[in-house]
Amino acid sequence: MQPTTDPAASAVLAVVFLPFVAAGLVPLVYRLVGERTAYYAAAIALACFGLVASQYGTHGAVSFPWIRSLGVSLSFYVDGLSLLVGFLASGVGVLILTYSGGYMHGEPSQPKYYASLLAFMGSMLGVAFAADLIALFVFWELTSLSSFMLIGHYQRQESSQYAARKSMLITVAGGLFMLIGFLLLHSVLLDVTSGSNAFSIVYMLENPELVQEELRSAGLFLPVLGLIGVGAAAKSAQVPLHIWLPNAMEAPTPVSAFLHSATMVKAGVYLLGRFRPVLVSHEWELLFAILGLTTMTVAAVLAVGATDIKELLAYSTASHLGLIVAGFGFASELGGETGAFHIINHATFKAALFLVAGIVAHEAGTRKIENLGGLKEDLPITAAITAVAALGMAGVPPFNGFYSKELLFEAAWEAAVHAGGGLAYLYPAVAVFGSVFTFLYSIRFLMLFFGEKPTGLHKVHSPPKAMLAPPLLLGVIAGLVSLGGILGTFGIHFAPFDHFVGEVWASTLPPGSDLHGGFSYYFPDHITPAVTMSAVTLVLGAASYPFYGRLHEGVNRVTDVNVLRANWYYNSAVFGLNGVSDTTAERVQNGLLRTYATWALASVAGLTLAGYAATSVTLPAFELSKVAVTVPILLVLLVAIVGAVAVSIAPSHISGVLTLSILGFMVAVFYVLADAPDLALTQLVVETLLLVIFLLVLDKLPAFYGNTDRAKMARDGVLSAAVGATVFVTVLVSTAATPTDGIASFFVEQAVPVGGGGNIVNVILVDFRAFDTLGEISVVAMAALSVLTLVAMRERGETQ
Amino acid sequence: MSQQFVVAPLLVALVTAIATLLTRRFGRAQVTLSLLGSLGYLGAVALLVSKVDPLGASNVFSYQLSGWQAPFGITIVADSLSAFMLAFSAVIATAALVFSASYVDSFGQRVSYHPLFHFMMVGVTGSFLTGDIFNLFVWFEVMLMSSYVLVVFYSGPEHTQAALQYVVLNLVGSAVMLLAIGGLYSTTGTLNMADLARRVADPAAFGDFAIAPVLGLSALLFAVFALKAGLAPFQFWVPSAYRAAPAPVSAMLAGVVKKVGIYAIVRVYFTVFGAAAISELSLPGLSVPDDGSALLAFYGPVMFVMAAASIVVGGLGAVSRDDIDGLLAYSSIGQVGFIVLPLAIAATAPTEEIRVLGVAAALVYALNHGFAKGLLFLASGAVYDAVGTERFPDLGGLTESAPWLSAGFFVGALALIGIPPLSGFFGKMLVFDAAGSASAAGVAGSNAALGIALVGAILTIAYFSRAWNRGFWGEPPLLVRNADAKVSLVAVVVALALAIALLGVGFDVVMQAANAGAEAALDRQGYIDAVLGAAEGGSGGGHA
Amino acid sequence: MSTVIARTVTRTVVPIILVTAIALLLQGHNLPGGGFIGGVLTVTAFALIYVIYGLDYLEEELLHQIRAPLLDSIRHGIVENYQVAFGVGLAVAVVAGLVPLVFGENFLYQSHWYIKPLPIYGKLHVASALAFDLGVYFVVVGALLTILAVVGTE
Amino acid sequence: MTQFVLAGVLGVLFALGTFLVLRRDIVRVVWGVTIISQSANVYLVTMGGLSGGVPILSHGGHGGGHAVSDPLVQALVLTAIVIGFGTTAFALVLTYRVYQEHGTIDLLELGEKA
């Protein structure tokens, strides 16, 4: 490794934030230049590309403080992997935005479109360079968000809404899993790093063994691995979370090419590449090799079943992401190499193919595979691009995809051998099986340009230059990479390219790994297991292509079975949720005060009694009490109870109110006996006034006697008894306590000399605790206001 | 001894309430006074915050009303916890009031809207500041009484019915609260919260009163606070009341008034009862720590169950609601669960760090929910004002006819979902972090907490994305196409959206404040010293 | 309802009640009573007039003033006066609490003085708390009369 | 033993109040609430001790001359009574308004309408 320089802080900061600032300015720019905003946006992307390029050759971290109190910083890390994703995001961005200038001509809501695309680009660049777990998550979620906006671009269409919501549910929820993983990682590191580096990815990359050890000793290695895996799988459309990706094709085609093939979906595999040096292990291999190979195969099979060219490409994308995940999954150095190289190859051929699909859809007016064919006559350049890209996708030698697939086969074989054979041979077997289907759908896509033109298809116009140049450039790059392999066989290497891929590869390896002298690739010149596997793939693929139609049918027959479709589960869950929601709302909030009061009172009683039980409260001895109830008091209280019982069984409203006031007056008498003359007076007048108001109101109400349901009465009786018991215990335990230094004696001592009044209660009310009284009169005033409002707003009620 | 700033927010609100009450005949003047009062309130709170939390320090100020020394007179206490709650409440209240001035019809404003609104703020402020348990009851009542009337404000069928349920449940709650206060007074001999904290921590020094009943009595009180916070199974009043109240009032109820219940839980259980000298505690299936937090160990599972139930009921209930207000109301139930969940973790936390983290997480979440839900209710009001309905079946395509309003709603929804870098993300992150830290420390139930939080978060995505699709995307019906959103209303919504974004980007300040608040909530001795120590030093004794 | 006897009794009783109410208000600091009780009792007197004579009589004959009601749904303008009463009452209570701030004391601080010598009375004990209590009195009178009037009118 | 009687009385009052709160008739629900809050007041007063004297002192200024009942709880209860009065009055008028708006005071019917 050559000595490297530190990255320039200002350049890194600019590359991440320039797109956001530019996005904010889009409405203004759009007002000025209209649809040419596309080229403004492309220029921004180009500037970002230049900034990223300026950091080529640097390595290291720059950091800006952000939330010090949480130890979160806005730090960025530049290495091969981050530069790769940075180049992809900005470079593909330039092409896509240019292409949009042609594609989006006359489309609605363009400012929102370009602002979202730029914001997305900024987020993606942020993901690429972030070196702080939280900062990474911030940008991660922002990519999901901009994806939501862009998928829902045609917002009036229900299919767009469905797709946008689906992608949001899956990717944002997946992100939350990842966040939990990050936070667990953080809480483990908090002890080791004394806090300062607990969110730092750089620290983890520098101390991978320590991190793994700490995680394992906390028993959190597997949870963290799994949680981060869920986040990556959701974003990179791994089975069974892949289902949002085909629907995401509701977005305008440039968006599909940019977000849903070249960049955003790479965030997941980027994450794996980023954490690979830290977490790679036996469990890692098991998890991600299986996940990746499964996705690769399942998605390739589904692509064969596709009827729409964008759908085909979407499944293909998921499949290739699976390939990359599987590559990163294999613990050997080869695994990292596979992933690193295939990210590049996939980005070139898949972005090119999406743009081709856009051209086809735009110019031919349909995306149905069965309605397309023989396009090469009208679109010769496009056909040439497709040939290079599709053959690369198929893994046909000597096109670029072939070389990275060779690496996968090698890694799979090696892993199988390393694991001692047996079931592990499923790795190479499944890899070959999946590749056969990859070959099939790739060729099918290519065949759109060959053969007979279907009758329904009219003359297809050539696309505008702005739409043709970007895929052409991508095709040329793919071609150059392919050429590099052939030349490599003769010992001629594109040194800077190889060096760069080597840097990316190195980023995915733990420190001290063997790079076998750096990255280089060439056309195989002798038979190896991998070459054999490639040959088998090609032969099987070519042999079964004639039966493509039947395979297509077969796949669709299988996916018609609900329980085999991940989508079916998603739809059932989401629509089922509405039903559950209705039930919840109706059952829980049933509108009956009785239900509400029952729950609330039962909870009060239960909670309180549980509290007493938990502390094993003992009821006081029979004779011990600070409360002495005299006989007159007892009599008064008994009359009060009689009154209360009479209220409860009162046959009419009037009799109830009258007995209620018996209770009230008994309480007043009780206050007299309890030496509380002020209370007695107050209670007396209040009771009188309440009686008047009661009578006035009752005068207007109908006589209503709720018919009595015995079962309900019994239930209410039980609850009432429980509440009564709670109060009973409360009274008993609180009469037993005998605190000293109670604050009451102070008032008795101070009332006359300092308070200046003999009526201690009144002195408390207007002096010691006048603040309470202030609140009290506020309530009284509001009670009056409330009555006014209730009556005055009556007629106005309808206006709102 | 001029620490009048402690009582200033309350006085400003009170004077404004009375001034708007007396100027009902003069519509313009009343509204002007009301808005000025609200600005004054904001200023008073800012002053208080600047004194309590100057850069790099946090102070506790106590103020003796009527000049009587603690624990005899009523104390009000301003510490970082109160300051935190007051600060965000003041902002939301101001926004809601400015919104009201052009939302509520002028007749309604004249009848009683402004005095009631300010009395509600008096109640809220009093509750946040008071250091006396009975005084807390009084301010609760002031707050409740005004909220009763504001819920029933439009006085139609649904309003009266919603208010009836709200009133009856809370009247029972008030009686239960009195019962609890009576019991606590009888048991401990005091009403002052600092004195209470001192006594329950060391009953031997105060006549060796029986400490055991304190747990049960505090449980009575807890139910009342849970009722105010709308925590399951006390959430029943929430949906209909939030639907019935005028939009800015719903914004206040969800954004501020609910938080009073949360504040009371934090203050009373962590500050006052946290160190109750309960030694013998038997909890079936749970271990009880012997570090003097046995009482909290009881509330850990209690809060967890309530929070989990709230998250599930609120989240599930919100998904298929047919109107924005209904969705927001159910969402509030779920979100309160998210606020209490970290409190449950804090109650059972094995270390002081996790305890602080848990309380701070609850505070941050409370702040975020206040802003986001306040914004959303105001946005719902603005939609209603512009379109004449807030029912999804009659809506659609709002982004086309009301782009700014829609953007505001979007930001609020994203904040509740927890999309960074909005303030809501940090709330959610801290909840996860608290549960994750507890999980790493091996606390029982913390994995369940993580799971519940995750389920709740996914439900939040589910209901907001559905609402967005139904209300804001799609084919706009005629009503929506003709919609004309009032600039004054949309401006408030957008301003709150900006605030949410700013709070997220500049989260460091919020986090420091929340940490200070959490530490203040757990610094029992500091609280006791500030109230009782200060009183001995000076204020009340030499009276008259 | 309004028989001659009732009217006669009312004429006699109402002044007595009012005097008692005011006595209760003033002596509240030392003997049972105070703003609240005084207020409620005052309301009782008004309620009596209202029950026996009706609200119109109270409005037109006794107070000689007819105010146009602010709210068209509230029939009697006198309710306006009640509302002013409780608003003013609150203001009085708060101002009584605020005055000590001028003297550097805390909100709601109360003091009391002996004013002497006074003819006949000797010395008079005046507590500032009376001002606060007066506020309470007005709030209670205003608020309760409002409630009664509104409910009664319905 | 007297405290058991007291506890029993208060328990029964609360139970009866609870029972009424669960009824279908709004008026009865309001009665229930009234009973519950009055019982809470009675409880508070008894917690102040029942065997003191009237907490009114002669104006000579001797403080601890005779034992008095806890004046604090009396002040608290006075506040509580007044607040309770305000809220009950509101609840009653609300009941009336509910009847006006819905034409019924049957909570079951009300709930089914919603």
Side-chain angles (χ1 to χ4, degrees):
Chain A
M1 287 278 129
Q2 68 202 54
T4 53
T5 52
D6 283 337
S10 53
V12 180
L13 207 57
V15 82
V16 175
F17 287 102
L18 177 65
F20 287 106
V21 176
L25 293 176
V26 162
L28 202 67
V29 174
Y30 189 80
R31 196 164 286 182
L32 293 176
V33 302
E35 289 197 346
R36 273 165 295 176
T37 307
Y39 305 110
Y40 154 81
I44 299 291
L46 191 62
C48 289
F49 189 82
L51 285 166
V52 174
S54 75
Q55 297 309 301
Y56 183 73
T58 64
H59 186 111
V62 290
S63 189
F64 308 91
W66 185 20
I67 304 166
R68 286 206 185 86
S69 40
L70 284 176
V72 173
S73 61
L74 213 54
S75 57
F76 300 102
Y77 185 63
V78 180
D79 68 349
L81 189 60
S82 55
L83 282 172
L84 169 63
V85 179
F87 277 131
L88 281 182
S90 55
V92 180
V94 175
L95 302 178
I96 294 299
L97 288 164
T98 312
Y99 181 88
S100 297
Y103 188 91
M104 296 299 286
H105 175 65
E107 292 272 340
S109 7
Q110 291 197 26
K112 195 181 77 185
Y113 172 83
Y114 288 112
S116 306
L117 270 181
L118 281 172
F120 164 76
M121 190 174 76
S123 319
M124 197 62 212
L125 288 164
V127 168
F129 290 103
D132 179 283
L133 290 176
I134 296 304
L136 172 60
F137 182 78
V138 170
F139 292 114
W140 180 277
E141 291 293 66
L142 286 179
T143 62
S144 301
L145 187 63
S146 30
S147 165
F148 173 78
M149 294 304 292
L150 288 165
I151 295 174
H153 181 76
Y154 299 113
Q155 59 182 56
R156 288 189 174 197
Q157 288 172 14
E158 252 174 57
S159 54
S160 293
Q161 296 175 16
Y162 170 83
R165 183 171 183 226
K166 193 177 190 179
S167 84
M168 186 166 197
L169 267 172
I170 293 177
T171 57
V172 175
L176 290 174
F177 280 87
M178 182 181 88
L179 177 65
I180 295 178
F182 283 177
L183 291 169
L184 290 177
L185 194 56
H186 165 252
S187 65
V188 168
L189 288 185
L190 208 53
D191 302 328
V192 196
T193 64
S194 65
S196 56
N197 278 321
F199 279 122
S200 166
I201 294 175
V202 181
Y203 177 85
M204 294 171 212
L205 289 174
E206 281 165 359
N207 306 282
E209 282 162 17
L210 177 78
V211 172
Q212 236 186 74
E213 210 171 283
E214 288 294 326
L215 278 175
R216 284 184 192 280
S217 69
L220 288 175
F221 182 76
L222 275 181
V224 168
L225 191 65
L227 289 164
I228 293 181
V230 172
K235 201 80 160 182
S236 283
Q238 299 297 292
V239 170
L241 302 178
H242 66 287
I243 49 171
W244 66 270
L245 191 58
N247 291 105
M249 299 305 144
E250 289 294 335
T253 301
V255 172
S256 310
F258 192 22
L259 274 71
H260 306 123
S261 85
T263 55
M264 187 182 89
V265 289
K266 296 281 163 52
V269 293
Y270 162 80
L271 187 77
L272 295 185
R274 183 49 82 219
F275 280 92
R276 192 173 183 277
V278 183
L279 298 175
V280 70
S281 58
H282 177 61
E283 296 94 326
W284 169 282
E285 177 167 298
L286 210 58
L287 177 61
F288 291 115
I290 291 175
L291 178 69
L293 287 174
T294 309
T295 304
M296 173 181 161
T297 307
V298 170
V301 171
L302 289 171
V304 170
T307 52
D308 174 304
I309 50 176
K310 280 182 80 178
E311 186 193 0
L312 182 147
L313 291 178
Y315 280 121
S316 152
T317 302
S319 168
H320 281 274
L321 290 166
L323 194 161
I324 302 170
V325 168
F328 280 145
F330 291 119
S332 63
E333 279 84 359
L334 271 172
E337 197 175 6
T338 308
F341 195 24
H342 201 71
I343 290 180
I344 299 174
N345 288 333
H346 179 248
T348 54
F349 65 65
K350 187 56 60 63
L353 289 176
F354 261 112
L355 297 185
V356 166
I359 291 173
V360 170
H362 211 255
E363 307 302 335
T366 178
R367 297 191 331 218
K368 290 275 171 239
I369 293 173
E370 57 183 6
N371 297 343
L372 291 164
L375 291 167
K376 76 171 181 336
E377 280 140 48
D378 294 331
L379 305 168
I381 306 174
T382 315
I385 300 167
T386 310
V388 173
L391 291 172
M393 179 159 83
V396 173
F399 293 94
N400 62 349
F402 166 75
Y403 302 102
S404 37
K405 188 163 279 181
E406 277 282 298
L407 286 170
L408 175 80
F409 287 154
E410 216 174 321
W413 183 260
E414 199 179 88
V417 173
H418 188 72
L423 271 181
Y425 278 107
L426 277 175
Y427 288 154
V430 172
V432 169
F433 182 73
S435 297
V436 172
F437 283 88
T438 309
F439 177 85
L440 286 173
Y441 70 70
S442 302
I443 302 303
R444 183 67 189 89
F445 189 88
L446 183 59
M447 292 314 282
L448 297 178
F449 289 83
F450 296 94
E452 287 288 306
K453 215 172 172 181
T455 43
L457 197 61
H458 302 293
K459 165 81 180 156
V460 179
H461 295 282
S462 292
K465 285 197 189 70
M467 285 176 70
L468 195 56
L472 184 61
L473 185 58
L474 287 165
V476 169
I477 295 173
L480 284 175
V481 176
S482 312
L483 189 63
I486 300 172
L487 293 176
T489 321
F490 304 108
I492 306 166
H493 297 285
F494 292 150
F497 180 74
D498 287 3
H499 176 74
F500 177 64
V501 179
E503 291 276 291
V504 178
W505 180 21
S507 308
T508 65
L509 300 178
S513 300
D514 181 11
L515 264 69
H516 307 287
F519 175 82
S520 65
Y521 66 108
Y522 47 84
F523 201 77
D525 50 5
H526 59 279
I527 303 292
T528 60
V531 171
T532 317
M533 287 159 77
S534 282
V536 172
T537 307
L538 290 177
V539 171
L540 282 179
S544 47
Y545 187 75
F547 308 103
Y548 191 90
R550 271 194 236 166
L551 281 171
H552 175 81
E553 298 290 315
V555 170
N556 281 328
R557 260 201 301 279
V558 173
T559 52
D560 279 344
V561 181
N562 278 337
V563 288
L564 294 178
R565 290 191 311 142
N567 251 334
W568 180 77
Y569 291 98
Y570 171 84
N571 289 334
S572 309
V574 167
F575 292 109
L577 195 58
N578 291 338
V580 175
S581 176
D582 285 335
T583 317
T584 310
E586 281 159 21
R587 289 280 166 79
V588 178
Q589 305 288 147
N590 63 4
L592 294 180
L593 181 61
R594 183 171 174 279
T595 314
Y596 302 176
T598 302
W599 275 96
L601 285 164
S603 307
V604 170
L607 198 60
T608 309
L609 291 175
Y612 291 136
T615 48
S616 327
V617 164
T618 46
L619 297 184
F622 219 53
E623 68 282 358
L624 191 144
S625 171
K626 64 179 175 184
V627 180
V629 181
T630 58
V631 176
I633 291 183
L634 208 60
L635 284 176
V636 167
L637 286 176
L638 289 178
V639 177
I641 285 203
V642 172
V645 172
V647 175
S648 308
I649 56 172
S652 74
H653 283 158
I654 296 296
S655 61
V657 168
L658 292 178
T659 40
L660 186 68
S661 55
I662 292 182
L663 171 69
F665 289 120
M666 280 308 121
V667 171
V669 177
F670 166 79
Y671 290 149
V672 171
L673 297 174
D675 300 313
D678 285 270
L679 286 185
L681 265 175
T682 311
Q683 175 74 18
L684 217 57
V685 281
V686 161
E687 202 53 46
T688 315
L689 276 176
L690 264 185
L691 184 64
V692 171
I693 299 177
F694 252 118
L695 290 174
L696 283 172
V697 169
L698 284 185
D699 193 33
K700 283 122 191 163
L701 295 183
F704 168 72
Y705 324 108
N707 49 340
T708 47
D709 177 338
R710 287 198 176 277
K712 279 185 180 169
M713 297 273 264
R715 209 174 82 188
D716 295 348
V718 171
L719 179 62
S720 305
V723 172
T726 310
V727 174
F728 179 77
V729 178
T730 302
V731 174
L732 277 186
V733 297
S734 51
T735 47
T738 49
T740 53
D741 302 337
I743 56 176
S745 55
F746 178 87
F747 302 113
V748 181
E749 287 157 17
Q750 302 285 315
V752 172
V754 191
N759 181 354
I760 309 174
V761 174
N762 187 265
V763 177
I764 292 176
L765 283 175
V766 297
D767 190 350
F768 291 106
R769 296 184 69 93
F771 202 45
D772 282 346
T773 309
L774 199 59
E776 169 202 321
I777 57 176
S778 304
V779 172
V780 173
M782 275 188 290
L785 264 186
S786 71
V787 174
L788 271 176
T789 309
L790 273 173
V791 173
M793 291 299 285
R794 180 173 41 197
E795 285 82 16
R796 302 288 177 135
E798 284 79 44
T799 61
Q800 281 285 340
Chain B
M1 176 65 209
S2 76
Q3 295 187 345
Q4 312 291 1
F5 66 86
V6 181
V7 77
L10 191 122
L11 288 181
V12 172
L14 191 57
V15 168
T16 313
I18 296 168
T20 50
L21 181 63
L22 287 173
T23 49
R24 291 164 69 233
R25 273 191 171 264
F26 319 99
R28 275 274 178 74
Q30 188 200 25
V31 177
T32 313
L33 273 176
S34 178
L35 291 172
L36 282 179
S38 160
L39 288 180
Y41 180 78
L42 204 58
V45 169
L47 177 69
L48 184 142
V49 171
S50 72
K51 297 271 188 183
V52 172
D53 282 317
L55 292 176
S58 51
N59 306 308
V60 189
F61 292 99
S62 70
Y63 180 92
Q64 296 302 129
L65 284 148
S66 309
W68 289 101
Q69 74 203 51
F72 310 107
I74 293 173
T75 314
I76 56 177
V77 190
D79 66 354
S80 298
L81 176 62
S82 318
F84 186 90
M85 304 302 289
L86 275 176
F88 81 77
S89 303
V91 177
I92 297 164
T94 309
L97 190 70
V98 172
F99 189 91
S100 309
S102 33
Y103 179 78
V104 179
D105 66 358
S106 62
F107 178 79
Q109 297 197 38
R110 234 175 343 148
V111 171
S112 59
Y113 188 84
H114 290 284
L116 288 171
F117 189 96
H118 290 286
F119 271 124
M120 185 154 81
M121 285 317 290
V122 172
V124 167
T125 315
S127 307
F128 282 150
L129 286 175
T130 189
D132 186 283
I133 196 108
F134 185 81
N135 196 235
L136 183 68
F137 166 79
V138 172
W139 296 122
F140 266 14
E141 290 302 313
V142 171
M143 182 177 86
L144 284 173
M145 189 70 216
S146 44
S147 65
Y148 297 154
V149 194
L150 288 170
V151 165
V152 75
F153 196 70
Y154 290 135
S155 207
E158 51 174 318
H159 314 106
T160 45
Q161 192 188 352
L164 185 74
Q165 294 172 347
Y166 182 46
V167 170
V168 170
L169 288 177
N170 274 297
L171 285 184
V172 175
S174 301
V176 171
M177 187 167 179
L178 270 184
L179 197 68
I181 291 173
L184 285 169
Y185 173 70
S186 171
T187 307
T188 63
T190 191
L191 293 170
N192 183 292
M193 298 205 295
D195 199 23
L196 205 57
R198 189 173 64 170
R199 285 170 189 243
V200 296
D202 187 12
F206 297 91
D208 205 11
F209 61 87
I211 187 73
V214 168
L215 180 60
L217 293 169
S218 73
L220 273 178
L221 207 51
F222 189 85
V224 179
F225 296 159
L227 177 66
K228 304 286 176 280
L231 202 56
F234 300 97
Q235 88 293 358
F236 297 101
W237 58 271
V238 173
S240 56
Y242 284 16
R243 273 189 183 125
V249 172
S250 305
M252 285 298 290
L253 290 179
V256 175
V257 174
K258 257 192 174 186
K259 306 304 183 303
V260 173
I262 300 292
Y263 164 82
I265 290 175
V266 174
R267 174 62 84 212
V268 172
Y269 295 89
F270 287 89
T271 313
V272 176
F273 290 132
I278 290 171
S279 48
E280 289 170 43
L281 187 66
S282 56
L283 296 176
L286 288 166
S287 63
V288 175
D290 51 2
D291 62 349
S293 58
L295 184 134
L296 283 176
F298 173 80
Y299 283 104
V302 169
M303 287 196 255
F304 174 75
V305 170
M306 287 180 155
S310 304
I311 288 174
V312 172
V313 168
L316 282 181
V319 175
S320 68
R321 296 286 59 76
D322 258 348
D323 56 324
I324 304 183
D325 282 351
L327 173 123
L328 296 179
Y330 277 94
S331 160
S332 296
I333 298 172
Q335 299 293 320
V336 165
F338 268 105
I339 300 174
V340 175
L341 195 65
L343 288 181
I345 290 160
T348 41
T351 66
E352 192 65 17
E353 285 85 51
I354 298 180
R355 188 156 285 178
V356 172
L357 178 64
V359 177
L363 293 182
V364 169
Y365 209 106
L367 170 131
N368 171 59
H369 180 246
F371 271 93
K373 200 48 72 59
L375 178 155
L376 289 168
F377 269 116
L378 294 185
S380 159
V383 167
Y384 185 89
D385 188 79
V387 186
T389 178
E390 39 99 32
R391 287 174 43 78
F392 290 121
D394 309 326
L395 289 176
L398 272 168
T399 48
E400 292 176 29
S401 52
W404 285 101
L405 181 55
S406 306
F409 186 93
F410 196 54
V411 169
L414 292 181
L416 281 186
I417 291 175
I419 298 288
L422 303 173
S423 63
F425 159 67
F426 293 100
K428 207 140 270 177
M429 175 196 136
L430 287 168
V431 171
F432 284 133
D433 198 20
S437 304
S439 171
V443 176
S446 48
N447 286 330
L450 271 178
I452 283 288
L454 196 56
V455 169
I458 293 173
L459 284 172
T460 314
I461 306 172
Y463 60 73
F464 273 124
S465 56
R466 186 158 192 264
W468 182 255
N469 280 349
R470 299 176 79 195
F472 295 85
W473 278 351
E475 205 76 43
L478 190 65
L479 269 178
V480 174
R481 255 172 295 180
N482 296 337
D484 185 20
K486 248 185 233 161
V487 177
S488 49
L489 301 184
V490 176
V492 178
V493 172
V494 170
L496 276 178
L498 282 178
I500 287 174
L502 277 181
L503 285 173
V505 173
F507 185 71
D508 199 31
V509 184
V510 180
M511 191 63 220
Q512 281 173 16
N515 266 333
E519 273 159 18
L522 296 169
D523 182 11
R524 216 159 286 122
Q525 199 54 47
Y527 187 82
I528 294 172
D529 288 346
V531 174
L532 297 169
E536 278 154 28
S539 68
H543 193 270
Chain C
M1 198 185 266
S2 56
T3 60
V4 178
I5 300 172
R7 284 175 181 245
T8 318
V9 170
T10 307
R11 279 183 195 213
T12 341
V13 168
V14 165
I16 298 175
I17 297 180
L18 285 177
V19 169
T20 317
I22 291 173
L24 279 175
L25 166 69
L26 294 179
Q27 67 164 12
H29 219 45
N30 290 311
L31 292 168
F36 187 80
I37 298 169
V40 185
L41 215 56
T42 310
V43 173
T44 322
F46 277 81
L48 207 56
I49 301 179
Y50 157 60
V51 170
I52 305 297
Y53 290 91
L55 205 53
D56 292 328
Y57 172 82
L58 184 68
E59 195 173 19
E60 288 157 26
E61 302 297 320
L62 219 56
L63 300 170
H64 302 295
Q65 96 183 88
I66 301 168
R67 270 174 101 161
L70 172 64
L71 314 169
D72 43 11
S73 45
I74 308 292
R75 199 154 49 84
H76 290 279
I78 194 165
V79 174
E80 275 301 300
N81 296 7
Y82 300 156
Q83 289 165 45
V84 171
F86 70 74
V88 167
L90 271 174
V92 167
V94 171
V95 168
L98 284 171
V99 168
L101 299 191
V102 180
F103 302 100
E105 294 291 346
N106 282 3
F107 182 57
L108 290 174
Y109 178 91
Q110 308 290 5
S111 189
H112 56 101
W113 311 270
Y114 291 92
I115 299 172
K116 56 185 175 179
L118 277 178
I120 308 166
Y121 218 87
K123 63 174 184 180
L124 184 61
H125 182 201
V126 183
S128 65
L130 189 62
F132 185 78
D133 230 5
L134 206 63
V136 175
Y137 174 84
F138 278 118
V139 171
V140 172
V141 171
L144 296 194
L145 284 177
T146 306
I147 296 175
L148 278 179
V150 173
V151 175
T153 314
E154 283 295 311
Chain D
M1 70 152 263
T2 48
Q3 82 272 29
F4 278 84
V5 178
L6 190 69
V9 168
L10 288 170
V12 169
L13 284 176
F14 262 88
L16 288 171
T18 304
F19 185 76
L20 281 170
V21 166
L22 300 173
R23 302 276 55 82
R24 282 169 62 182
D25 180 351
I26 301 181
V27 176
R28 276 161 223 267
V29 172
V30 177
W31 293 346
V33 172
T34 315
I35 292 182
I36 289 180
S37 46
Q38 291 211 344
S39 317
N41 293 342
V42 170
Y43 168 71
L44 239 74
V45 170
T46 57
M47 287 307 107
L50 295 176
S51 54
V54 175
I56 292 175
L57 307 172
S58 68
H59 219 277
H62 53 90
H66 63 289
V68 298
S69 290
D70 188 337
L72 181 56
V73 288
Q74 296 191 12
L76 302 185
V77 170
L78 210 133
T79 306
I81 291 177
V82 176
I83 290 178
F85 169 74
T87 45
T88 311
F90 171 65
L92 273 172
V93 180
L94 183 61
T95 308
Y96 163 62
R97 290 286 298 120
V98 168
Y99 173 66
Q100 272 195 330
E101 294 294 330
H102 296 267
T104 180
I105 50 168
D106 181 353
L107 284 166
L108 200 61
E109 216 172 293
L110 267 180
E112 277 159 4
K113 269 173 70 178

